[in-house]
Amino acid sequence: MKQLGDRKFLPYISCNKIQQRIAELGNEINIAYEGKELVIISVLNGSFIFTADLVRQIEIPVDLRFIRVSSYQSEQSSGKVTQILGLTGAIKDKHVLVIEDIIDTGLTIAEIHNQLIEQQPASIEVASLLLKEDVYRGKIKINYLGFAIPNRFVVGYGLDLDGFGRNWPEIYQVV
Ligand code: 5GP
């Protein structure tokens, strides 16, 4: 059992299970993009460890880039506005794979997807380590998924609670 603040966490997905699944995903990506080049756009901060492990399973040429997203409440509209920060270099006519740590409602990935599509990539696919499938109400296909999980808060392997827990080597679930 681990603790962050007053919240307790139990081990949920082991290092071994994570690495096995990532090897499978890497294999699928190598087959899908055989003979092509890939621009990988990793969404910081949470996906930094997943990205580091997944890209080392990929054998085709990879141009690796990192973005952050900032969300804020818009005064004009009732919804959240997501802005992409730090994307350098054009993606027009390139094959793009976005790497996320976790997809919950899907709002963040939908916004990222919409904004990248505007730049007219040749193709765009999504890889996510985790998906809260009961909560997800998006239309975007998650092409490479590590694990579908229930709607419980998870930490570790890059995922945080208020900045802490990212360094835990396996994934923990709140008790
Ligand atoms: P969405 O826009 O899909 O609803 O939310 C995605 C974002 O919510 C993730 O990138 C992550 O920052 C945060 N998030 C959602 N569920 C969890 C969770 O169980 N643990 C952590 N650490 N972050 C989560």
Side-chain angles (χ1 to χ4, degrees):
M1 171 107 67
K2 285 200 185 255
Q3 192 153 352
L4 284 176
D6 58 0
R7 301 181 84 177
K8 295 187 168 63
F9 294 89
L10 282 172
Y12 180 51
I13 308 176
S14 70
C15 298
N16 265 350
K17 254 183 116 175
I18 296 170
Q19 293 308 325
Q20 265 174 27
R21 187 72 193 114
I22 289 177
E24 290 168 2
L25 294 178
N27 207 23
E28 285 177 35
I29 292 167
N30 286 328
I31 293 167
Y33 291 95
E34 197 183 347
K36 295 178 181 154
E37 284 181 7
L38 191 53
V39 175
I40 287 186
I41 298 181
S42 167
V43 185
L44 293 172
N45 294 331
S47 68
F48 80 109
I49 297 182
F50 177 45
T51 300
D53 284 341
L54 182 60
V55 293
R56 283 179 289 176
Q57 299 291 335
I58 297 178
E59 284 155 14
I60 55 154
V62 162
D63 174 353
L64 179 55
R65 307 183 194 176
F66 295 90
I67 59 167
R68 297 179 65 120
V69 291
S70 75
S71 298
Y72 57 94
Q73 210 71 37
S74 164
E75 285 173 21
Q76 274 83 40
S77 75
S78 52
K80 249 185 10 177
V81 177
T82 302
Q83 193 185 5
I84 295 181
L85 304 173
L87 183 62
T88 52
I91 57 167
K92 189 168 168 23
D93 300 329
K94 296 184 186 283
H95 296 288
V96 171
L97 177 65
V98 181
I99 302 188
E100 265 284 18
D101 53 351
I102 184 164
I103 295 172
D104 188 3
T105 61
L107 286 175
T108 309
I109 192 63
E111 270 299 319
I112 293 172
H113 197 273
N114 282 346
Q115 291 181 35
L116 294 178
I117 282 282
E118 283 173 15
Q119 299 191 32
Q120 299 174 304
S123 68
I124 178 162
E125 289 196 314
V126 176
S128 183
L129 178 64
L130 303 171
L131 171 70
K132 289 188 176 167
E133 59 180 352
D134 299 337
V135 188
Y136 184 61
R137 49 192 161 84
K139 292 194 178 69
I140 287 158
K141 188 170 175 221
I142 314 305
N143 307 87
Y144 308 97
L145 175 64
F147 304 93
I149 64 168
N151 186 19
R152 302 280 299 274
F153 195 78
V154 289
V155 169
Y157 194 75
L159 291 140
D160 74 313
L161 174 61
D162 297 333
F164 289 89
R166 292 194 199 280
N167 56 314
W168 297 354
E170 51 196 342
I171 296 172
Y172 286 74
Q173 191 180 55
V174 74
V175 178

